Amino acid sequence: VSTNEFDLIERIRRRATTTREDVLLGIGDDAALLEVPAGHALVVATDTLNAGVHFPVETPPADIGWKALAVNLSDLAAMGATPAWCTLSLSLPDADAEWIDAFLEGFMRLAVLHDVALVGGDTTRGPLSISATVHGFVDPARALRRAAAREGDLVWVSGTLGDAAAALEQWRAGALIDPGLRERLDRPTPRVALGRALGGIARACIDVSDGLLADLAHVCAASGVSAQIDVDALPASDVLCAEFGGDARRHLQSAGGDDYELCFTAPAAAREAVETAARNADVYITAIGRIVPRTAGPVMARDAHGAEWMPGTTGWRHFA
Ligand code: ADP
Ligand code: MG
């Protein structure tokens, strides 16, 4: 099915209806008109997904749609912000109405879940690439910044780690991908409610996209501290434990990417407040270590026996 760019935009506009009263003007003019609530800072994040780089080319379009918005909402969550609006820039190899409908199904499902209005974008012809920008609000005094970690803070992580990287590992190996792991790769859950609940309680926060050790190292560098984590305390799903054990699992959990969980620090005395915030947000969290004075390495990992542990590589690897 082929159609032209204007038909595509019309298809998008028809599905982008919103009841948000702060959208004074959405899709259809030269730009959107949006009303920011008084006393709040506008929070803006943007992320691009390129076919063959950020997702396997055979990923279903509905999953690509979901993920394109999810990775952006995850960035707002890591700031403690409330999402409100988004824009969508699409580069498409051809004007395929069926593809766009499936893509929008995933994208708009997540948008509706978070009451995010799609208020504009751009549509061009080119290699498949999706770029979304999300806008939200936060009281600047409650924003969760990378530079805010302090010595003595506990380090926490939400959900479980390593599932998405495990799915990619199975995909790379040409093995059957476990559906539970695949769901975590294709449909990550942005921890928006948790990020909001942590405002005023947690200190530093980051979302885990490149792998826990690499992302926590960003927090440590920005804060001028180091972190000591217990690699055997990292939360693992049952399905990950069933498919991977020992060092392979540790590696996926500490250095695999695409988790989109929140890693945050908070004073040890705030432990109860942190646990209450997580309960209210309905998210499982785990204390995985502590912030220590700056040492040579930004993040030191130890196993359950206290022996120093290093992954083969840190950070996200291209799967292409
Ligand atoms: P312009 O030439 O002014 O950029 P466009 O034809 O690119 O106009 O866009 C027309 C309207 O459609 C604008 O309001 C724009 O924000 C919206 N739009 C275009 N592409 C998308 C898209 N992929 N998603 C959402 N809105 C879009
Ligand atoms: Mg345009």
Side-chain angles (χ1 to χ4, degrees):
V1 188
S2 199
T3 176
N4 69 38
E5 180 198 316
F6 296 106
D7 292 341
L8 280 191
I9 296 173
E10 180 51 25
R11 283 185 112 78
I12 295 169
R13 194 192 59 75
R14 276 207 304 269
R15 297 192 65 155
T17 55
T18 178
T19 55
R20 291 190 71 99
E21 290 180 352
D22 52 12
V23 179
L24 308 181
L25 195 55
I27 295 173
D29 213 306
D30 295 310
L33 285 181
L34 308 165
E35 202 164 35
V36 182
H40 284 72
L42 181 65
V43 186
V44 181
T46 194
D47 250 319
T48 300
L49 301 184
N50 292 323
V53 182
H54 300 102
F55 57 88
V57 282
E58 64 264 35
T59 306
D63 290 340
I64 300 170
W66 174 285
K67 191 163 183 173
L69 185 57
V71 300
N72 278 284
L73 291 177
S74 180
D75 282 323
L76 285 206
M79 297 305 293
T82 304
W85 314 303
C86 65
T87 56
L88 175 62
S89 285
L90 293 171
S91 165
L92 304 172
D94 50 76
D96 183 339
E98 239 169 87
W99 190 93
I100 200 76
D101 285 348
F103 173 91
L104 285 172
E105 185 197 312
F107 190 94
M108 291 310 298
R109 175 166 303 180
L110 185 60
V112 166
L113 274 179
H114 291 278
D115 195 21
V116 169
L118 176 58
V119 296
D122 198 28
T123 307
T124 57
R125 198 169 291 249
L128 181 59
S129 173
I130 301 102
S131 182
T133 300
V134 292
H135 312 75
F137 327 121
V138 74
D139 170 353
R142 292 167 72 92
L144 304 170
R145 299 160 201 248
R146 290 186 185 184
R150 295 293 172 264
E151 185 187 337
D153 282 2
L154 290 180
V155 179
W156 298 84
V157 71
S158 66
T160 60
L161 297 174
D163 299 312
L168 267 186
E169 197 65 46
Q170 292 179 333
W171 182 82
R172 271 193 209 104
L176 206 65
I177 305 175
D178 180 280
L181 298 177
R182 176 160 207 148
E183 175 84 8
R184 294 271 292 160
L185 175 67
D186 289 341
R187 299 239 170 183
T189 306
R191 304 298 188 185
V192 174
L194 178 63
R196 288 181 63 181
L198 289 172
I201 297 171
R203 284 196 171 126
C205 186
I206 192 167
D207 67 317
V208 181
S209 54
D210 295 342
L212 176 76
L213 296 180
D215 288 317
L216 183 54
H218 293 318
V219 168
C220 289
S223 300
V225 296
S226 289
Q228 178 86 62
I229 67 150
D230 176 356
V231 75
D232 289 325
L234 301 182
S237 66
D238 293 342
V239 43
L240 182 72
C241 292
E243 307 255 346
F244 294 87
D247 245 31
R249 184 165 78 220
R250 287 174 171 157
H251 189 281
L252 291 168
Q253 292 189 271
S254 64
D258 270 337
D259 296 304
Y260 298 102
E261 296 295 347
L262 294 184
C263 175
F264 58 95
T265 83
R271 182 174 200 128
E272 254 179 60
V274 166
E275 284 171 343
T276 302
R279 227 178 357 259
N280 290 340
D282 207 19
V283 179
Y284 176 87
I285 57 166
T286 309
I288 59 164
R290 213 172 249 289
I291 298 295
V292 297
R294 176 97 217 182
T295 57
V299 182
M300 292 153 291
R302 289 188 190 284
D303 65 18
H305 308 291
E308 205 169 314
W309 186 84
M310 285 283 288
T313 58
T314 56
W316 179 84
R317 290 180 290 168
H318 274 247
F319 63 82

